Amino acid sequence: MTAALPQAYFNPPRRLPFVLPTPPQGKKLISLAINESPYGCSRKAWVAAEARFGNPNRYPDPSSADLRRAIGKQFALDPERIVCGNGSEELLDVVARMFVRAGDEIIMSQSGFFQFAVVAARLGAELKRAPENDYITDVDGLLALLGPKTKLVFLAVPNNPTGTLLPVDDVIRLHENLPPEIVLVLDLAYGEYMEKVDLDRLMRYGGAKPNVVITRTFSKAYGLAALRVGWALAPDWMTPGLNLLRGVGNINAIAQAAAAAAVEDQVFVDRVVAETTAERSFLARHFTRLGLHFVPGYGNFLLTRFPDEKRKSAAKFIDLAMREEGIWLRPVGEPGFANWSRIGLGSRAENDLLVRLLEEYLK
Ligand SMILES: *Cc1c(COP(=O)(O)O)cnc(C)c1O
């Protein structure tokens, strides 16, 4: 006789509903597969990280107070309403754990961010996806899915993997039509790449609502993906709960120091955004010339469709790019994108190389 095993909260699927991208090993890798910045990070962040590395025996501040103060100062926000996470990934999970139980429903756009589905799977929640118009989130489609079990709506602006931008007025209309007991999570991981007026409007609007959580990240424009730092702006009634649910020492001390310095260096961020925008136009121009179809995007990547499933497929090009130049690309995991690749924007030299390979391949 064995003792009865504890009852699981739900029956997890035998196979994960997602594939985690593992970077291939190799020194000369050109990574265009996971939306990383090719521009490194602010020199000030680097210096701050190095200084903190001198005291590795000391625990980090579990409340990330300096980092929250730096973020608050930079964006004129109350630090008490900021919650930091081990990547914004952790914060998406934490918000869901606060409001969602197995069997509850989470709503997202058809080709929304894959982490939303990961979060739902972890909790045993039902995930409902609303069809899109031209790869853009459809507000009425989302609203049509609301039901008595709906707890959370996830929305990324700009979205990943599509890169499309739901206009601010539509985000507001979505929120205005949500019952107050449903929480809207606005994932602004690519917010820095938006027009500043639009980003400010979203921050101000969402920041004033009792059922909106906004998430931001240091992984993209700030170029600190390796350190795993994200932050949320949450209503003040919600922050004690979110802080309880996050990991106690969730942001390591080196990451806290680096991110606090990075947020003060907006000159660096502006330069990254300007270069990224220029590279996006560069690739868009060449893709058009080569007859490659892509979704007009606002992030640091372009969702791109290859012309011929058999002879000129995305899969074949992905193999070829890795074999010939060590360029790491990936197919798109979401259903409906069998012959697509979400191509990250590299440096000009990397993008040049990519265009040359594409030209050769598509000839
Ligand atoms: C990259 C990305 C994130 C950021 O994840 P981190 O955990 O902060 O690295 C969040 N949301 C979206 C839509 C993303 O593409």
Side-chain angles (χ1 to χ4, degrees):
M1 279 279 286
T2 51
L5 287 167
Q7 184 94 46
Y9 287 118
F10 73 101
N11 292 317
R14 302 235 155 227
R15 277 189 34 179
L16 298 182
F18 46 87
V19 183
L20 295 175
T22 306
Q25 299 306 304
K27 274 196 212 91
K28 215 202 103 225
L29 188 73
I30 297 175
S31 175
L32 304 181
I34 48 177
N35 297 357
E36 294 157 334
S37 166
Y39 303 112
C41 71
S42 157
R43 175 78 199 155
K44 287 166 187 161
W46 204 94
V47 168
E50 199 185 28
R52 186 57 183 82
F53 195 66
N55 297 312
N57 50 315
R58 300 295 173 199
Y59 273 115
D61 168 11
S63 70
S64 298
D66 287 348
L67 172 56
R68 288 186 298 109
R69 249 195 312 276
I71 294 167
K73 185 155 174 253
Q74 189 56 238
F75 304 120
L77 300 169
D78 176 4
E80 291 302 310
R81 291 186 45 204
I82 294 170
V83 179
C84 293
N86 192 257
S88 48
E89 171 203 345
E90 184 190 17
L91 297 166
L92 301 175
D93 198 69
V94 160
V95 178
R97 277 192 281 127
M98 184 157 175
F99 296 104
V100 181
R101 294 294 173 266
D104 287 342
E105 288 171 3
I106 294 178
I107 286 171
M108 66 183 277
S109 194
Q110 179 64 45
S111 27
F113 185 39
F114 94 106
Q115 289 274 10
F116 303 158
V118 173
V119 165
R122 282 175 183 148
L123 291 166
E126 288 290 327
L127 185 66
K128 292 188 154 184
R129 296 173 184 256
E132 293 163 350
N133 296 319
D134 262 347
Y135 309 107
I136 300 174
T137 299
D138 177 26
V139 169
D140 294 305
L142 287 175
L143 291 171
L145 295 178
L146 299 181
K149 288 184 170 177
T150 308
K151 296 289 159 60
L152 214 63
V153 177
F154 276 126
L155 175 65
V157 181
N159 183 47
N160 172 14
T162 57
T164 51
L165 188 69
L166 185 66
V168 178
D169 286 335
D170 291 298
V171 178
I172 292 174
R173 189 166 72 82
L174 169 65
H175 175 263
E176 281 174 344
N177 285 282
L178 284 182
E181 69 275 13
I182 293 177
V183 174
L184 171 63
V185 179
L186 264 185
D187 177 343
L188 305 185
Y190 302 96
E192 291 80 11
Y193 302 99
M194 296 171 69
E195 296 292 337
K196 278 205 167 66
V197 282
D198 290 340
L199 176 62
D200 287 350
R201 247 186 105 201
L202 277 183
M203 292 297 294
R204 258 202 317 277
Y205 181 86
K209 303 299 170 195
N211 61 337
V212 175
V213 180
I214 294 173
T215 60
R216 306 284 300 270
T217 184
F218 285 93
S219 299
K220 304 288 156 62
Y222 289 88
L224 292 174
L227 297 187
R228 317 299 306 122
V229 194
W231 57 280
L233 178 66
D236 50 14
W237 69 270
M238 216 188 270
T239 52
L242 298 176
N243 277 316
L244 183 68
L245 288 164
R246 68 172 170 81
V248 172
N250 59 345
I251 323 286
N252 73 70
I254 296 157
Q256 287 186 34
V263 79
E264 287 172 3
D265 192 355
Q266 291 295 315
V267 173
F268 174 83
V269 177
D270 289 347
R271 211 171 62 224
V272 166
V273 169
E275 296 218 14
T276 304
T277 308
E279 293 310 315
R280 201 168 52 218
S281 308
F282 174 84
L283 275 196
R285 206 163 58 240
H286 283 290
F287 286 5
T288 304
R289 176 176 66 81
L290 297 171
L292 259 187
H293 175 76
F294 60 93
V295 177
Y298 294 82
N300 60 354
F301 56 89
L302 285 175
L303 182 60
T304 308
R305 186 176 67 210
F306 281 71
D308 181 335
E309 208 127 345
K310 290 209 184 73
R311 285 170 38 247
K312 305 284 180 189
S313 69
K316 276 190 191 166
F317 183 73
I318 289 169
D319 282 348
L320 177 144
M322 177 53 76
R323 210 171 46 239
E324 298 208 343
E325 299 292 349
I327 297 178
W328 181 33
L329 293 167
R330 290 194 314 138
V332 180
E334 281 76 1
F337 294 95
N339 200 29
W340 296 67
S341 177
R342 186 196 60 194
I343 298 181
L345 307 172
S347 65
R348 177 53 59 91
E350 293 168 346
N351 295 336
D352 258 330
L353 190 58
L354 177 80
V355 167
R356 257 185 288 140
L357 274 185
L358 278 170
E359 192 153 13
E360 191 66 18
Y361 178 69
L362 296 170
K363 206 156 57 190

